[in-house]
Amino acid sequence: VLHCYVLYTLTHTQINVQASEFQLEGDYLVGGLFDIHHVMFPKIYYRRFQVMRFSVEEINNSTELLPNVSLGYEIFDHCSDIQNFPATLNLISVNGSIQPWSEPHKNLSRVSKVIAVVGPFSSTETLTVAPLFMMNLIPIVSYGAASSAFSEKSKFPSFLRTVHSNKNIIEVIVNIILHFNWRWVAFLNSDDEFGIDGLELFIKRTENTDICMAYIKLLNDNVNYTRMFKQIEAQKINIIIVFAPKRTAEALIESAIRLNVTNKVWVAGDTWSLNEKLPKEKGIRNIGTVLGVSQPVVAIPGFNDFIYSSKSWNDCENAGQKFCNEFCNSSSLSAEDIVFIDPSFSFPVYSAVHSVANALHNVLQCGVGKCNSNITVYPHMVLAELKKSNFTLLNQSIQFDENGNPKFGRYSIVFWNHSGAIEEIGFYTFFPSINYVIDNNKIQWYTDGKVPSSQCSRECPKGYAKRQNGIHKCCFACEICPNGTFVNSTDDHYKCVNCKDTEWSAEGSTSCSLRVVEYIPFTDIGAILIMCGAWSFIGLTIATSVLLAINYNTPVVRSAGGPMCFLILSCLTLSSLSVFFYFDKPTECFCILRSLPFILFYSVCLACFVVRSFQIVCIFKMAAKFPMLYSWWMKYHGQWLLITGTFVTQALLLLIGYSCGPPKPYNETLWYPEKIILSCEIGLKANSGPVILLLFLACLCFIFSYMGKNLPKNYNEAEAITFCLFLLILTWIIFATVYMLYRGKHIQTVNALAVLSSLYSFLLWYFLPKCYIIIFQSQKNTQQYFQGLIQNYTKTISQ
């Protein structure tokens, strides 16, 4: 590969080479480096070379920029590194020696005559040449070197460029891929500094996106295109990004046409997206659709006239022989070849030359019609002014950032249409703010209007999370998110996120909804009715107590238990307090008072009825057969010992249980995910002992009362107790059934109703008949009546 490095000069230095388009005398020296010669003479590079010639001539003819300062140039034909390095070193040498600008050498008068260099084009060539100019801080303004490495000012302190870095190009390419929702792509890059830098930037940029690089390949002269395209096809990749120089890209696309590669979307970098040859190639439509990122085409006023009027470029070979063994033969070119060739990077060349000229203009403190000729210009002075560049050129504000990258310009997004033309379909601007537009309607897809897809796995339906298969995050299985979770499509597609405690979601949700908080307030009609029933119960127990107290010495009161009746009624009244705490928002205090009064005092009530049942059986069935047992029971007040023991035992069990785990508020969400039912959590460990004791008393009472079922018909104490216990058991069986089937807010009402029913069962079916006899059947409330019943029953069992 042969390279032409063109060195333009603005200097008093005498040029011994025959005057041609490669040399022009001037007042200051600026280097211009261009690739002109390859194996075949490339027209595109020659156009850029002519753009610089035109720019210098335009500046020379200007009365505003560098007035009374002439510009010149000299051509150096870079045919090989071995033959031309001595000549290149000669440019930065003084009297045959090189004086690097370091601490021991501060005599700036011994610095090279070169004050700035424009070029070169490729990143690889720039890496070779740039270090030679960094020593004395000679500015290099590149019009094509896009590698991100040049942004490192510690290594390239005097490097600037008028093209955006690869980082910006990759940003545009990634946004194109994201715009069309492509996820499964191949990245083909040249095996040089430019391509490898692009690959590294693409990998870094797509780390936190859904884009997967399914295939990577370095393109060089040894690539087996047949095998490469088979591998791409085997992985079902429909999107191919080509990040390579023009010649490498041409070889790739021509191979794709030859190998009949079809139905792909090709994304071109700015080095070949405006290729004038490939869009007209036979069979180009078969490979699919070509999109690209390109330097915007900026018309440079006067350039075409300069080309048509110039004749010097027809004899460049005369000057070229001084610098290399190859002729720079452009005699086969016409003016039209130069004018209509790919205009890529023409404006970067134009703006680079003008940037150097404006920097020199500021160094020389030029004003209207003149510059300060007494100022000695050194490269570092031009560099300082270049960094501060701020001028307008063809309606664009030319500025550089702290890394020497341009703060101007934009990228065009292009499409190769079916007629062989390259059409702009959008743009991407970076300054003053990012602006990105693509007109989808202008694209003629190979799929007849439908945007092609490229995915390893089909996108999951809404509410499904992705489970990665293999090393690529684009390859996944879809799993539906269960109740109480959701998949956040804007954050993480691969995780089902739990909803907050106050939120809920159905299966397959993409967001959570607030739960409806439900409880039974005091104002609820059901709560009001039950609380009225509780107050009525308290009133009835008080009235019953008064009635029994008035008739305390009558047989009915004594047979009902005498003083024990008042203990039972008192405990029933205290038990009814639990009913009032089943409503409103539960608190820890409310949760304790829901159960403690009822369990404790209802246990005492049951203990009393156990005693009453036992006494009834003893009187009628055991007194005659076991007089000693009956005598012992009466002598030591066995009934009160049993009742007291029950109370103390139950109190201790409740104290221990509530100390270990007291009842506390609980949000029920399992039964109704969309709701929060405010209730109380009753720990099984804390309440198992008290409940077991309560059940034991109920069973014991039922056994004793059932044993007295054959007592005199008119003496129905045992029968009444049996019926009360039957109602009690039935009540809690019904409640347990409802509790197993329903856990809504009204379960609190049902629970309170069960408690109240348990209390009413003893009041209505045990005490109410006694009150009825006292009030309405006083003839049965006599000593003679009761003795007659007992005597008749004794005779019956004796027979």
Side-chain angles (χ1 to χ4, degrees), residues 35 41-49 246 271 274 276 341-345:
D35 298 348
F41 190 84
K43 304 173 186 179
I44 185 173
Y45 301 122
Y46 193 64
R47 173 190 169 93
R48 297 167 191 162
F49 161 62
K246 178 181 178 181
T271 53
L274 296 183
E276 71 284 354
I341 202 68
D342 178 3
S344 297
F345 300 95

PDB file of all heavy atoms in Angstrom, residues 35 41-49 246 271 274 276 341-345:
ATOM      1  N   ASP A  35      -3.800  10.559   2.086  1.00  0.00           N
ATOM      2  CA  ASP A  35      -3.606   9.277   1.388  1.00  0.00           C
ATOM      3  C   ASP A  35      -4.057   9.453  -0.053  1.00  0.00           C
ATOM      4  O   ASP A  35      -5.253   9.568  -0.300  1.00  0.00           O
ATOM      5  CB  ASP A  35      -4.462   8.177   2.030  1.00  0.00           C
ATOM      6  CG  ASP A  35      -4.070   7.930   3.456  1.00  0.00           C
ATOM      7  OD1 ASP A  35      -3.014   8.435   3.867  1.00  0.00           O
ATOM      8  OD2 ASP A  35      -4.830   7.256   4.169  1.00  0.00           O
ATOM      9  N   PHE A  41      -5.311   4.147  -8.113  1.00  0.00           N
ATOM     10  CA  PHE A  41      -5.401   5.575  -7.766  1.00  0.00           C
ATOM     11  C   PHE A  41      -6.810   5.889  -7.248  1.00  0.00           C
ATOM     12  O   PHE A  41      -7.791   5.739  -7.974  1.00  0.00           O
ATOM     13  CB  PHE A  41      -5.118   6.419  -9.006  1.00  0.00           C
ATOM     14  CG  PHE A  41      -4.964   7.863  -8.688  1.00  0.00           C
ATOM     15  CD1 PHE A  41      -3.748   8.369  -8.257  1.00  0.00           C
ATOM     16  CD2 PHE A  41      -6.033   8.734  -8.804  1.00  0.00           C
ATOM     17  CE1 PHE A  41      -3.606   9.713  -7.978  1.00  0.00           C
ATOM     18  CE2 PHE A  41      -5.894  10.072  -8.516  1.00  0.00           C
ATOM     19  CZ  PHE A  41      -4.680  10.570  -8.107  1.00  0.00           C
ATOM     20  N   PRO A  42      -6.960   6.276  -5.971  1.00  0.00           N
ATOM     21  CA  PRO A  42      -8.281   6.523  -5.408  1.00  0.00           C
ATOM     22  C   PRO A  42      -8.729   7.959  -5.618  1.00  0.00           C
ATOM     23  O   PRO A  42      -8.098   8.892  -5.140  1.00  0.00           O
ATOM     24  CB  PRO A  42      -8.075   6.217  -3.924  1.00  0.00           C
ATOM     25  CG  PRO A  42      -6.630   6.554  -3.668  1.00  0.00           C
ATOM     26  CD  PRO A  42      -5.905   6.392  -4.956  1.00  0.00           C
ATOM     27  N   LYS A  43      -9.840   8.121  -6.309  1.00  0.00           N
ATOM     28  CA  LYS A  43     -10.340   9.465  -6.604  1.00  0.00           C
ATOM     29  C   LYS A  43     -10.763  10.200  -5.337  1.00  0.00           C
ATOM     30  O   LYS A  43     -10.588  11.418  -5.233  1.00  0.00           O
ATOM     31  CB  LYS A  43     -11.539   9.366  -7.557  1.00  0.00           C
ATOM     32  CG  LYS A  43     -11.259   8.626  -8.851  1.00  0.00           C
ATOM     33  CD  LYS A  43     -12.550   8.437  -9.647  1.00  0.00           C
ATOM     34  CE  LYS A  43     -12.320   7.574 -10.869  1.00  0.00           C
ATOM     35  NZ  LYS A  43     -13.579   7.358 -11.627  1.00  0.00           N
ATOM     36  N   ILE A  44     -11.342   9.465  -4.367  1.00  0.00           N
ATOM     37  CA  ILE A  44     -11.885  10.118  -3.186  1.00  0.00           C
ATOM     38  C   ILE A  44     -10.797  10.833  -2.393  1.00  0.00           C
ATOM     39  O   ILE A  44     -10.995  11.928  -1.871  1.00  0.00           O
ATOM     40  CB  ILE A  44     -12.636   9.097  -2.310  1.00  0.00           C
ATOM     41  CG1 ILE A  44     -13.317   9.798  -1.139  1.00  0.00           C
ATOM     42  CG2 ILE A  44     -11.708   7.999  -1.801  1.00  0.00           C
ATOM     43  CD1 ILE A  44     -14.211   8.880  -0.338  1.00  0.00           C
ATOM     44  N   TYR A  45      -9.604  10.192  -2.297  1.00  0.00           N
ATOM     45  CA  TYR A  45      -8.523  10.823  -1.551  1.00  0.00           C
ATOM     46  C   TYR A  45      -7.988  12.041  -2.303  1.00  0.00           C
ATOM     47  O   TYR A  45      -7.575  13.031  -1.697  1.00  0.00           O
ATOM     48  CB  TYR A  45      -7.395   9.819  -1.304  1.00  0.00           C
ATOM     49  CG  TYR A  45      -7.848   8.598  -0.527  1.00  0.00           C
ATOM     50  CD1 TYR A  45      -7.712   7.315  -1.052  1.00  0.00           C
ATOM     51  CD2 TYR A  45      -8.415   8.736   0.733  1.00  0.00           C
ATOM     52  CE1 TYR A  45      -8.139   6.210  -0.352  1.00  0.00           C
ATOM     53  CE2 TYR A  45      -8.846   7.627   1.447  1.00  0.00           C
ATOM     54  CZ  TYR A  45      -8.714   6.369   0.897  1.00  0.00           C
ATOM     55  OH  TYR A  45      -9.138   5.276   1.592  1.00  0.00           O
ATOM     56  N   TYR A  46      -7.990  11.915  -3.596  1.00  0.00           N
ATOM     57  CA  TYR A  46      -7.495  13.030  -4.404  1.00  0.00           C
ATOM     58  C   TYR A  46      -8.427  14.234  -4.279  1.00  0.00           C
ATOM     59  O   TYR A  46      -7.982  15.381  -4.295  1.00  0.00           O
ATOM     60  CB  TYR A  46      -7.384  12.592  -5.862  1.00  0.00           C
ATOM     61  CG  TYR A  46      -6.598  13.566  -6.709  1.00  0.00           C
ATOM     62  CD1 TYR A  46      -5.247  13.799  -6.461  1.00  0.00           C
ATOM     63  CD2 TYR A  46      -7.213  14.252  -7.757  1.00  0.00           C
ATOM     64  CE1 TYR A  46      -4.531  14.685  -7.243  1.00  0.00           C
ATOM     65  CE2 TYR A  46      -6.495  15.140  -8.535  1.00  0.00           C
ATOM     66  CZ  TYR A  46      -5.156  15.357  -8.272  1.00  0.00           C
ATOM     67  OH  TYR A  46      -4.439  16.237  -9.040  1.00  0.00           O
ATOM     68  N   ARG A  47      -9.727  13.991  -4.151  1.00  0.00           N
ATOM     69  CA  ARG A  47     -10.663  15.098  -3.961  1.00  0.00           C
ATOM     70  C   ARG A  47     -10.345  15.831  -2.666  1.00  0.00           C
ATOM     71  O   ARG A  47     -10.338  17.069  -2.634  1.00  0.00           O
ATOM     72  CB  ARG A  47     -12.104  14.559  -3.929  1.00  0.00           C
ATOM     73  CG  ARG A  47     -13.139  15.634  -3.570  1.00  0.00           C
ATOM     74  CD  ARG A  47     -14.511  15.025  -3.304  1.00  0.00           C
ATOM     75  NE  ARG A  47     -15.405  16.014  -2.720  1.00  0.00           N
ATOM     76  CZ  ARG A  47     -16.238  16.796  -3.412  1.00  0.00           C
ATOM     77  NH1 ARG A  47     -16.274  16.694  -4.738  1.00  0.00           N
ATOM     78  NH2 ARG A  47     -17.006  17.669  -2.802  1.00  0.00           N
ATOM     79  N   ARG A  48     -10.112  15.086  -1.566  1.00  0.00           N
ATOM     80  CA  ARG A  48      -9.796  15.730  -0.297  1.00  0.00           C
ATOM     81  C   ARG A  48      -8.520  16.548  -0.389  1.00  0.00           C
ATOM     82  O   ARG A  48      -8.409  17.627   0.203  1.00  0.00           O
ATOM     83  CB  ARG A  48      -9.679  14.662   0.809  1.00  0.00           C
ATOM     84  CG  ARG A  48     -10.975  13.919   1.058  1.00  0.00           C
ATOM     85  CD  ARG A  48     -10.758  12.684   1.900  1.00  0.00           C
ATOM     86  NE  ARG A  48     -11.970  11.845   1.923  1.00  0.00           N
ATOM     87  CZ  ARG A  48     -11.996  10.578   2.279  1.00  0.00           C
ATOM     88  NH1 ARG A  48     -10.868   9.987   2.649  1.00  0.00           N
ATOM     89  NH2 ARG A  48     -13.128   9.893   2.262  1.00  0.00           N
ATOM     90  N   PHE A  49      -7.573  16.003  -1.118  1.00  0.00           N
ATOM     91  CA  PHE A  49      -6.332  16.730  -1.357  1.00  0.00           C
ATOM     92  C   PHE A  49      -6.620  18.054  -2.060  1.00  0.00           C
ATOM     93  O   PHE A  49      -6.075  19.112  -1.710  1.00  0.00           O
ATOM     94  CB  PHE A  49      -5.413  15.828  -2.193  1.00  0.00           C
ATOM     95  CG  PHE A  49      -4.309  16.543  -2.896  1.00  0.00           C
ATOM     96  CD1 PHE A  49      -3.328  17.225  -2.185  1.00  0.00           C
ATOM     97  CD2 PHE A  49      -4.226  16.515  -4.293  1.00  0.00           C
ATOM     98  CE1 PHE A  49      -2.297  17.859  -2.855  1.00  0.00           C
ATOM     99  CE2 PHE A  49      -3.208  17.156  -4.944  1.00  0.00           C
ATOM    100  CZ  PHE A  49      -2.242  17.834  -4.226  1.00  0.00           C
ATOM    101  N   LYS A 246     -13.036   1.937   3.587  1.00  0.00           N
ATOM    102  CA  LYS A 246     -13.771   1.780   2.331  1.00  0.00           C
ATOM    103  C   LYS A 246     -13.355   0.526   1.572  1.00  0.00           C
ATOM    104  O   LYS A 246     -14.220  -0.260   1.156  1.00  0.00           O
ATOM    105  CB  LYS A 246     -13.541   3.017   1.467  1.00  0.00           C
ATOM    106  CG  LYS A 246     -14.213   2.952   0.107  1.00  0.00           C
ATOM    107  CD  LYS A 246     -13.932   4.197  -0.709  1.00  0.00           C
ATOM    108  CE  LYS A 246     -14.561   4.113  -2.081  1.00  0.00           C
ATOM    109  NZ  LYS A 246     -14.278   5.306  -2.897  1.00  0.00           N
ATOM    110  N   THR A 271     -17.115   5.603   6.942  1.00  0.00           N
ATOM    111  CA  THR A 271     -16.011   5.477   5.987  1.00  0.00           C
ATOM    112  C   THR A 271     -16.468   4.938   4.628  1.00  0.00           C
ATOM    113  O   THR A 271     -15.768   5.127   3.624  1.00  0.00           O
ATOM    114  CB  THR A 271     -14.938   4.535   6.553  1.00  0.00           C
ATOM    115  OG1 THR A 271     -15.552   3.301   6.946  1.00  0.00           O
ATOM    116  CG2 THR A 271     -14.250   5.167   7.755  1.00  0.00           C
ATOM    117  N   LEU A 274     -21.173   6.397   1.990  1.00  0.00           N
ATOM    118  CA  LEU A 274     -21.439   7.181   0.779  1.00  0.00           C
ATOM    119  C   LEU A 274     -20.666   6.649  -0.421  1.00  0.00           C
ATOM    120  O   LEU A 274     -20.360   7.397  -1.372  1.00  0.00           O
ATOM    121  CB  LEU A 274     -21.081   8.657   1.012  1.00  0.00           C
ATOM    122  CG  LEU A 274     -21.912   9.392   2.077  1.00  0.00           C
ATOM    123  CD1 LEU A 274     -21.498  10.858   2.148  1.00  0.00           C
ATOM    124  CD2 LEU A 274     -23.398   9.286   1.782  1.00  0.00           C
ATOM    125  N   GLU A 276     -19.617   5.428  -3.775  1.00  0.00           N
ATOM    126  CA  GLU A 276     -20.256   5.721  -5.065  1.00  0.00           C
ATOM    127  C   GLU A 276     -20.342   4.507  -5.976  1.00  0.00           C
ATOM    128  O   GLU A 276     -21.104   4.498  -6.956  1.00  0.00           O
ATOM    129  CB  GLU A 276     -19.470   6.833  -5.777  1.00  0.00           C
ATOM    130  CG  GLU A 276     -18.107   6.450  -6.324  1.00  0.00           C
ATOM    131  CD  GLU A 276     -17.027   6.337  -5.250  1.00  0.00           C
ATOM    132  OE1 GLU A 276     -17.318   6.675  -4.078  1.00  0.00           O
ATOM    133  OE2 GLU A 276     -15.907   5.908  -5.566  1.00  0.00           O
ATOM    134  N   ILE A 341     -17.339  12.791  -7.141  1.00  0.00           N
ATOM    135  CA  ILE A 341     -16.922  11.642  -6.337  1.00  0.00           C
ATOM    136  C   ILE A 341     -17.486  11.785  -4.930  1.00  0.00           C
ATOM    137  O   ILE A 341     -17.959  12.854  -4.526  1.00  0.00           O
ATOM    138  CB  ILE A 341     -15.369  11.554  -6.328  1.00  0.00           C
ATOM    139  CG1 ILE A 341     -14.909  10.127  -6.002  1.00  0.00           C
ATOM    140  CG2 ILE A 341     -14.795  12.538  -5.309  1.00  0.00           C
ATOM    141  CD1 ILE A 341     -15.223   9.151  -7.067  1.00  0.00           C
ATOM    142  N   ASP A 342     -17.431  10.723  -4.129  1.00  0.00           N
ATOM    143  CA  ASP A 342     -17.894  10.713  -2.734  1.00  0.00           C
ATOM    144  C   ASP A 342     -17.358  11.938  -1.991  1.00  0.00           C
ATOM    145  O   ASP A 342     -16.148  12.102  -1.831  1.00  0.00           O
ATOM    146  CB  ASP A 342     -17.389   9.424  -2.076  1.00  0.00           C
ATOM    147  CG  ASP A 342     -17.782   9.335  -0.607  1.00  0.00           C
ATOM    148  OD1 ASP A 342     -18.478  10.229  -0.110  1.00  0.00           O
ATOM    149  OD2 ASP A 342     -17.365   8.351   0.038  1.00  0.00           O
ATOM    150  N   PRO A 343     -18.255  12.826  -1.519  1.00  0.00           N
ATOM    151  CA  PRO A 343     -17.802  14.054  -0.854  1.00  0.00           C
ATOM    152  C   PRO A 343     -17.476  13.876   0.628  1.00  0.00           C
ATOM    153  O   PRO A 343     -17.281  14.867   1.335  1.00  0.00           O
ATOM    154  CB  PRO A 343     -19.011  14.980  -1.031  1.00  0.00           C
ATOM    155  CG  PRO A 343     -20.187  14.064  -1.001  1.00  0.00           C
ATOM    156  CD  PRO A 343     -19.738  12.786  -1.657  1.00  0.00           C
ATOM    157  N   SER A 344     -17.444  12.619   1.116  1.00  0.00           N
ATOM    158  CA  SER A 344     -17.179  12.394   2.538  1.00  0.00           C
ATOM    159  C   SER A 344     -15.868  13.038   2.967  1.00  0.00           C
ATOM    160  O   SER A 344     -14.864  12.982   2.245  1.00  0.00           O
ATOM    161  CB  SER A 344     -17.101  10.887   2.827  1.00  0.00           C
ATOM    162  OG  SER A 344     -18.327  10.270   2.546  1.00  0.00           O
ATOM    163  N   PHE A 345     -15.905  13.645   4.139  1.00  0.00           N
ATOM    164  CA  PHE A 345     -14.734  14.225   4.791  1.00  0.00           C
ATOM    165  C   PHE A 345     -14.179  15.451   4.070  1.00  0.00           C
ATOM    166  O   PHE A 345     -13.100  15.919   4.408  1.00  0.00           O
ATOM    167  CB  PHE A 345     -13.626  13.181   4.971  1.00  0.00           C
ATOM    168  CG  PHE A 345     -14.048  12.007   5.811  1.00  0.00           C
ATOM    169  CD1 PHE A 345     -14.528  10.848   5.220  1.00  0.00           C
ATOM    170  CD2 PHE A 345     -13.990  12.076   7.183  1.00  0.00           C
ATOM    171  CE1 PHE A 345     -14.928   9.769   5.983  1.00  0.00           C
ATOM    172  CE2 PHE A 345     -14.388  11.001   7.968  1.00  0.00           C
ATOM    173  CZ  PHE A 345     -14.867   9.835   7.366  1.00  0.00           C
TER     174      PHE A 345
END
